[in-house]
Amino acid sequence: MTGPKLKTANNPCSRSLPHALRLLAFAMMILVSSATYALPKPEPGSISLADLRAKYETSASRYLDVDGVPLHYADEGQGEPVVLLHASFLNFRAWDGVAAELVRNNYRVIRPDFPSLGLSGIDGKSLNGGRVDFFNRNAEVVAKLLEKLQLDKVNVVATSSGAIAGSRYASYFPDRVSRLVLINSAGLPRTVQSDPNRDRPEERKWSKMKIKPPEFWANLLSRNFFAPDMPPEWLVTLAYDVNRRAENADPGAYNFKTGDPRPIFAAITAPTLILWGQSNPTVMHLEADVIEHWMTGAPTTIRKYEGLGHYPYIENEDVVMSDILAFLDGKLDDELRQTQRVKVAP
């Protein structure tokens, strides 16, 4: 059965309808084509942010819009809040063991993925054509997240490049940090020889690959574990996955320079525990002493672990967590010392 026939012979618009449709189709083709060129195709082997979230979210995962960033974080446990800030190339899941132990000891644990990393969405500030101070931006987003969560004062545990953001947060907001733990903290000035991202002959075969294979991440992580210990398979897989996400910020959008860290460390007032792997090849253990030397506003103590590398909280979680819990509970307070500058007589 056919529908009623439309009378169009006397309608002046009907004669131009096919032409209008062709123009509309052409316009749509241009729009689709423009969109195709505006959005680069995902690299082969990449993983979408949606699939990454499906794989790595936990029951404690939450999302908040924080200063234009669709920020992913985990919030679990009850009690005094502890914020965990992750290292480069990883995300909040690297803290799983630490977080579980803190929750068991009656702490509330908040662990964000930094903007444009892990399961967090793209930072809008990385899309405006300017260069953003990566470390200050991370500290700023952490501050705004904690404001949204209405947390006036927290403990901060931060590691590697995450410790740069952690120390800056503690420096810029000294009244908001109860205690600070820095684990193998980055942030000191680098030479070509001491740059952890320096050219390495054994990694040149992967240097031009936009998406590095699992073998690259196994190699990078293994040199940061003290032999014969090797990085666990889950850690290699995590590093591989979060570094092949299809949705990424423009690599040139961020400035990764540390600047002069001395005034930053000097402005920290929270009691600080500095933990270091004695066998850490990425940031030498003597840097712990330099950081303590510059922390003239805070009481500090140092723990160095023989036979541990850059990820001591993963390599030997029991030993490291014992020290962190003792420090948070105030049991190491009699070891705290504060650097004093000798005033030169006029």
mmCIF file of all heavy atoms in Angstrom, residues 49 52 57 60 93 101 107 112 117 140 144-145 150 167 181 185 193 198 209 231 259 265 268 279-281 301 308 312:
data_model
loop_
_atom_site.group_PDB
_atom_site.id
_atom_site.type_symbol
_atom_site.label_atom_id
_atom_site.label_comp_id
_atom_site.label_asym_id
_atom_site.label_seq_id
_atom_site.Cartn_x
_atom_site.Cartn_y
_atom_site.Cartn_z
ATOM 1 N N LEU A 49 40.019 6.286 26.362
ATOM 2 C CA LEU A 49 39.851 6.633 27.770
ATOM 3 C C LEU A 49 38.701 5.843 28.375
ATOM 4 O O LEU A 49 38.772 5.419 29.533
ATOM 5 C CB LEU A 49 39.622 8.140 27.908
ATOM 6 C CG LEU A 49 39.521 8.699 29.326
ATOM 7 C CD1 LEU A 49 40.730 8.303 30.169
ATOM 8 C CD2 LEU A 49 39.374 10.221 29.289
ATOM 9 N N LEU A 52 39.990 2.450 29.102
ATOM 10 C CA LEU A 52 40.944 2.531 30.214
ATOM 11 C C LEU A 52 40.197 2.639 31.542
ATOM 12 O O LEU A 52 40.560 1.986 32.538
ATOM 13 C CB LEU A 52 41.846 3.745 30.008
ATOM 14 C CG LEU A 52 43.179 3.782 30.747
ATOM 15 C CD1 LEU A 52 44.068 2.625 30.329
ATOM 16 C CD2 LEU A 52 43.890 5.105 30.481
ATOM 17 N N GLU A 57 39.048 1.515 36.801
ATOM 18 C CA GLU A 57 38.233 2.099 37.870
ATOM 19 C C GLU A 57 38.060 1.105 38.999
ATOM 20 O O GLU A 57 38.073 -0.113 38.794
ATOM 21 C CB GLU A 57 36.861 2.502 37.326
ATOM 22 C CG GLU A 57 36.848 3.797 36.552
ATOM 23 C CD GLU A 57 35.464 4.133 36.011
ATOM 24 O OE1 GLU A 57 34.574 3.245 36.058
ATOM 25 O OE2 GLU A 57 35.267 5.253 35.517
ATOM 26 N N ALA A 60 35.798 2.665 44.508
ATOM 27 C CA ALA A 60 35.996 3.964 45.162
ATOM 28 C C ALA A 60 36.195 5.101 44.166
ATOM 29 O O ALA A 60 36.388 6.242 44.571
ATOM 30 C CB ALA A 60 37.197 3.894 46.109
ATOM 31 N N ARG A 93 46.408 3.779 40.692
ATOM 32 C CA ARG A 93 46.392 2.355 41.015
ATOM 33 C C ARG A 93 47.744 1.860 41.544
ATOM 34 O O ARG A 93 47.812 0.807 42.190
ATOM 35 C CB ARG A 93 45.967 1.535 39.799
ATOM 36 C CG ARG A 93 44.525 1.741 39.355
ATOM 37 C CD ARG A 93 43.513 1.395 40.446
ATOM 38 N NE ARG A 93 43.599 0.044 40.917
ATOM 39 C CZ ARG A 93 42.905 -0.983 40.417
ATOM 40 N NH1 ARG A 93 42.089 -0.794 39.393
ATOM 41 N NH2 ARG A 93 43.025 -2.191 40.941
ATOM 42 N N GLU A 101 46.276 -0.396 53.110
ATOM 43 C CA GLU A 101 46.841 -0.436 54.456
ATOM 44 C C GLU A 101 46.427 0.790 55.269
ATOM 45 O O GLU A 101 46.143 0.691 56.468
ATOM 46 C CB GLU A 101 48.358 -0.531 54.368
ATOM 47 C CG GLU A 101 49.055 -0.859 55.677
ATOM 48 C CD GLU A 101 48.676 -2.217 56.247
ATOM 49 O OE1 GLU A 101 48.231 -3.102 55.482
ATOM 50 O OE2 GLU A 101 48.812 -2.381 57.475
ATOM 51 N N TYR A 107 42.270 5.456 58.224
ATOM 52 C CA TYR A 107 42.477 6.718 57.533
ATOM 53 C C TYR A 107 41.543 6.793 56.333
ATOM 54 O O TYR A 107 41.186 5.770 55.732
ATOM 55 C CB TYR A 107 43.931 6.855 57.053
ATOM 56 C CG TYR A 107 44.913 7.139 58.161
ATOM 57 C CD1 TYR A 107 45.623 6.107 58.764
ATOM 58 C CD2 TYR A 107 45.111 8.442 58.609
ATOM 59 C CE1 TYR A 107 46.530 6.359 59.794
ATOM 60 C CE2 TYR A 107 46.009 8.712 59.639
ATOM 61 C CZ TYR A 107 46.714 7.668 60.224
ATOM 62 O OH TYR A 107 47.591 7.937 61.248
ATOM 63 N N PRO A 112 44.090 11.165 43.663
ATOM 64 C CA PRO A 112 43.674 11.615 42.323
ATOM 65 C C PRO A 112 44.619 11.139 41.231
ATOM 66 O O PRO A 112 45.792 10.849 41.477
ATOM 67 C CB PRO A 112 43.723 13.137 42.450
ATOM 68 C CG PRO A 112 44.831 13.369 43.435
ATOM 69 C CD PRO A 112 44.788 12.221 44.412
ATOM 70 N N LEU A 117 46.080 12.730 32.756
ATOM 71 C CA LEU A 117 46.802 11.485 33.010
ATOM 72 C C LEU A 117 45.868 10.452 33.624
ATOM 73 O O LEU A 117 44.801 10.788 34.138
ATOM 74 C CB LEU A 117 47.994 11.722 33.944
ATOM 75 C CG LEU A 117 49.064 12.706 33.452
ATOM 76 C CD1 LEU A 117 50.113 12.925 34.524
ATOM 77 C CD2 LEU A 117 49.718 12.201 32.168
ATOM 78 N N GLU A 140 47.797 23.067 41.998
ATOM 79 C CA GLU A 140 46.586 23.890 41.970
ATOM 80 C C GLU A 140 45.334 23.014 41.911
ATOM 81 O O GLU A 140 44.360 23.253 42.635
ATOM 82 C CB GLU A 140 46.641 24.804 40.751
ATOM 83 C CG GLU A 140 45.403 25.661 40.532
ATOM 84 C CD GLU A 140 45.478 26.459 39.241
ATOM 85 O OE1 GLU A 140 45.861 25.903 38.187
ATOM 86 O OE2 GLU A 140 45.141 27.654 39.278
ATOM 87 N N LYS A 144 42.232 22.596 44.634
ATOM 88 C CA LYS A 144 40.821 22.829 44.312
ATOM 89 C C LYS A 144 39.978 21.579 44.524
ATOM 90 O O LYS A 144 38.801 21.671 44.897
ATOM 91 C CB LYS A 144 40.698 23.354 42.882
ATOM 92 C CG LYS A 144 41.305 24.751 42.743
ATOM 93 C CD LYS A 144 41.090 25.366 41.369
ATOM 94 C CE LYS A 144 41.645 26.795 41.351
ATOM 95 N NZ LYS A 144 41.395 27.495 40.084
ATOM 96 N N LEU A 145 40.565 20.400 44.302
ATOM 97 C CA LEU A 145 39.850 19.160 44.615
ATOM 98 C C LEU A 145 39.546 19.080 46.107
ATOM 99 O O LEU A 145 38.410 18.773 46.509
ATOM 100 C CB LEU A 145 40.685 17.951 44.187
ATOM 101 C CG LEU A 145 40.172 16.588 44.681
ATOM 102 C CD1 LEU A 145 38.822 16.255 44.060
ATOM 103 C CD2 LEU A 145 41.200 15.491 44.387
ATOM 104 N N GLN A 150 35.742 19.739 50.729
ATOM 105 C CA GLN A 150 35.612 20.430 52.020
ATOM 106 C C GLN A 150 36.581 19.859 53.065
ATOM 107 O O GLN A 150 36.225 19.665 54.225
ATOM 108 C CB GLN A 150 34.165 20.368 52.519
ATOM 109 C CG GLN A 150 33.178 21.049 51.580
ATOM 110 C CD GLN A 150 31.755 21.026 52.092
ATOM 111 O OE1 GLN A 150 31.368 20.182 52.901
ATOM 112 N NE2 GLN A 150 30.947 21.972 51.623
ATOM 113 N N SER A 167 55.044 18.802 47.420
ATOM 114 C CA SER A 167 55.830 19.791 48.161
ATOM 115 C C SER A 167 55.360 21.205 47.843
ATOM 116 O O SER A 167 55.350 22.083 48.714
ATOM 117 C CB SER A 167 57.321 19.626 47.869
ATOM 118 O OG SER A 167 57.593 19.760 46.490
ATOM 119 N N VAL A 181 54.819 13.393 53.642
ATOM 120 C CA VAL A 181 55.761 12.300 53.371
ATOM 121 C C VAL A 181 56.211 12.424 51.927
ATOM 122 O O VAL A 181 55.388 12.418 51.004
ATOM 123 C CB VAL A 181 55.118 10.915 53.601
ATOM 124 C CG1 VAL A 181 56.133 9.806 53.312
ATOM 125 C CG2 VAL A 181 54.586 10.786 55.033
ATOM 126 N N SER A 185 61.659 11.952 46.197
ATOM 127 C CA SER A 185 61.113 13.156 45.583
ATOM 128 C C SER A 185 61.973 13.661 44.436
ATOM 129 O O SER A 185 63.192 13.785 44.553
ATOM 130 C CB SER A 185 60.993 14.262 46.638
ATOM 131 O OG SER A 185 60.546 15.463 46.047
ATOM 132 N N GLN A 193 73.530 14.619 32.695
ATOM 133 C CA GLN A 193 73.874 13.292 33.190
ATOM 134 C C GLN A 193 72.892 12.786 34.245
ATOM 135 O O GLN A 193 72.700 11.581 34.391
ATOM 136 C CB GLN A 193 75.297 13.290 33.776
ATOM 137 C CG GLN A 193 76.399 13.466 32.754
ATOM 138 C CD GLN A 193 76.526 14.907 32.275
ATOM 139 O OE1 GLN A 193 76.051 15.835 32.928
ATOM 140 N NE2 GLN A 193 77.191 15.092 31.137
ATOM 141 N N ARG A 198 67.038 11.089 30.386
ATOM 142 C CA ARG A 198 68.132 11.275 29.431
ATOM 143 C C ARG A 198 68.157 10.128 28.409
ATOM 144 O O ARG A 198 67.589 9.053 28.620
ATOM 145 C CB ARG A 198 69.470 11.334 30.165
ATOM 146 C CG ARG A 198 69.840 10.063 30.907
ATOM 147 C CD ARG A 198 71.103 10.275 31.728
ATOM 148 N NE ARG A 198 71.460 9.119 32.537
ATOM 149 C CZ ARG A 198 70.965 8.862 33.737
ATOM 150 N NH1 ARG A 198 70.061 9.672 34.270
ATOM 151 N NH2 ARG A 198 71.367 7.796 34.419
ATOM 152 N N MET A 209 58.871 5.713 18.661
ATOM 153 C CA MET A 209 57.525 5.154 18.756
ATOM 154 C C MET A 209 56.648 6.049 19.627
ATOM 155 O O MET A 209 57.008 6.353 20.767
ATOM 156 C CB MET A 209 57.566 3.751 19.371
ATOM 157 C CG MET A 209 58.293 2.722 18.547
ATOM 158 S SD MET A 209 58.216 1.093 19.365
ATOM 159 C CE MET A 209 59.173 0.098 18.224
ATOM 160 N N PRO A 231 60.150 -5.582 38.529
ATOM 161 C CA PRO A 231 58.817 -4.984 38.673
ATOM 162 C C PRO A 231 57.740 -6.039 38.458
ATOM 163 O O PRO A 231 57.861 -6.875 37.559
ATOM 164 C CB PRO A 231 58.778 -3.911 37.577
ATOM 165 C CG PRO A 231 59.807 -4.350 36.586
ATOM 166 C CD PRO A 231 60.870 -5.035 37.370
ATOM 167 N N GLY A 259 62.533 24.805 38.086
ATOM 168 C CA GLY A 259 62.910 26.110 38.632
ATOM 169 C C GLY A 259 63.784 25.960 39.868
ATOM 170 O O GLY A 259 64.424 24.930 40.079
ATOM 171 N N PHE A 265 60.817 24.557 49.226
ATOM 172 C CA PHE A 265 61.051 23.706 50.388
ATOM 173 C C PHE A 265 61.122 24.526 51.679
ATOM 174 O O PHE A 265 60.652 24.084 52.731
ATOM 175 C CB PHE A 265 62.345 22.905 50.204
ATOM 176 C CG PHE A 265 62.216 21.771 49.224
ATOM 177 C CD1 PHE A 265 62.992 21.733 48.074
ATOM 178 C CD2 PHE A 265 61.322 20.736 49.446
ATOM 179 C CE1 PHE A 265 62.875 20.683 47.162
ATOM 180 C CE2 PHE A 265 61.197 19.687 48.549
ATOM 181 C CZ PHE A 265 61.977 19.653 47.407
ATOM 182 N N ILE A 268 57.725 25.255 53.511
ATOM 183 C CA ILE A 268 56.949 24.150 54.098
ATOM 184 C C ILE A 268 57.107 24.180 55.604
ATOM 185 O O ILE A 268 58.213 24.345 56.130
ATOM 186 C CB ILE A 268 57.435 22.799 53.529
ATOM 187 C CG1 ILE A 268 57.155 22.730 52.025
ATOM 188 C CG2 ILE A 268 56.761 21.627 54.251
ATOM 189 C CD1 ILE A 268 57.790 21.536 51.331
ATOM 190 N N SER A 279 69.326 2.424 46.873
ATOM 191 C CA SER A 279 69.830 1.963 45.580
ATOM 192 C C SER A 279 69.058 2.565 44.417
ATOM 193 O O SER A 279 69.025 1.993 43.329
ATOM 194 C CB SER A 279 69.758 0.430 45.520
ATOM 195 O OG SER A 279 70.470 -0.143 46.587
ATOM 196 N N ASN A 280 68.450 3.710 44.634
ATOM 197 C CA ASN A 280 67.644 4.373 43.618
ATOM 198 C C ASN A 280 68.542 4.981 42.536
ATOM 199 O O ASN A 280 69.314 5.895 42.813
ATOM 200 C CB ASN A 280 66.815 5.475 44.285
ATOM 201 C CG ASN A 280 65.884 6.185 43.323
ATOM 202 O OD1 ASN A 280 65.902 5.964 42.135
ATOM 203 N ND2 ASN A 280 65.067 7.055 43.864
ATOM 204 N N PRO A 281 68.455 4.493 41.286
ATOM 205 C CA PRO A 281 69.307 5.052 40.229
ATOM 206 C C PRO A 281 68.704 6.277 39.544
ATOM 207 O O PRO A 281 69.386 6.952 38.769
ATOM 208 C CB PRO A 281 69.403 3.891 39.229
ATOM 209 C CG PRO A 281 68.066 3.229 39.347
ATOM 210 C CD PRO A 281 67.643 3.369 40.800
ATOM 211 N N THR A 301 62.738 14.272 59.236
ATOM 212 C CA THR A 301 63.586 13.113 59.492
ATOM 213 C C THR A 301 63.655 12.298 58.217
ATOM 214 O O THR A 301 62.749 12.362 57.380
ATOM 215 C CB THR A 301 63.065 12.257 60.664
ATOM 216 O OG1 THR A 301 64.042 11.262 61.008
ATOM 217 C CG2 THR A 301 61.755 11.561 60.322
ATOM 218 N N LEU A 308 66.621 -1.055 48.194
ATOM 219 C CA LEU A 308 65.385 -0.655 47.533
ATOM 220 C C LEU A 308 65.683 0.469 46.552
ATOM 221 O O LEU A 308 66.624 1.253 46.754
ATOM 222 C CB LEU A 308 64.334 -0.207 48.554
ATOM 223 C CG LEU A 308 63.848 -1.272 49.542
ATOM 224 C CD1 LEU A 308 62.717 -0.718 50.411
ATOM 225 C CD2 LEU A 308 63.386 -2.536 48.830
ATOM 226 N N PRO A 312 59.979 2.084 46.503
ATOM 227 C CA PRO A 312 60.068 1.283 47.736
ATOM 228 C C PRO A 312 58.712 0.894 48.302
ATOM 229 O O PRO A 312 58.586 -0.154 48.938
ATOM 230 C CB PRO A 312 60.844 2.195 48.697
ATOM 231 C CG PRO A 312 60.637 3.578 48.167
ATOM 232 C CD PRO A 312 60.557 3.422 46.680
#
